[in-house]
Amino acid sequence: SAQKLDDFIQLNPNFYYVYTMLGDYHHHFADKEKALWNWEKALTLEIPRKNERDAIENKINSVRND
């Protein structure tokens, strides 16, 4: 439910992985707009490794080019 997703964000709203996971969740259910929003939000937060940032950027590019 939407409330559970909001609760998930509230657990750690400044952690990029929360938004990465939510982007993956929305992508799985074919909600590209919400997936992109969450992945883009993840990119605004501190990401410890370049390969993790690259993976999120690749997801965004894949959806945009679909």
Side-chain angles (χ1 to χ4, degrees):
S1 76
Q3 181 60 47
K4 288 184 182 184
L5 296 178
D6 289 341
D7 290 347
F8 186 54
I9 292 171
Q10 294 308 314
L11 291 174
N12 200 337
N14 297 315
F15 184 41
Y16 82 97
Y17 196 63
V18 169
Y19 296 96
T20 302
M21 294 289 291
L22 287 173
D24 293 348
Y25 172 86
H26 289 297
H27 184 254
H28 177 78
F29 290 104
D31 190 337
K32 291 181 181 182
E33 188 175 312
K34 287 184 180 177
L36 286 170
W37 187 93
N38 280 283
W39 290 330
E40 289 168 351
K41 174 66 177 175
L43 291 177
T44 70
L45 302 170
E46 184 177 342
I47 300 174
R49 292 184 211 58
K50 183 181 182 317
N51 68 321
E52 293 169 329
R53 176 173 290 280
D54 291 346
I56 297 167
E57 290 172 347
N58 288 338
K59 291 175 186 187
I60 291 170
N61 291 331
S62 175
V63 167
R64 284 192 177 144
N65 295 327
D66 221 6

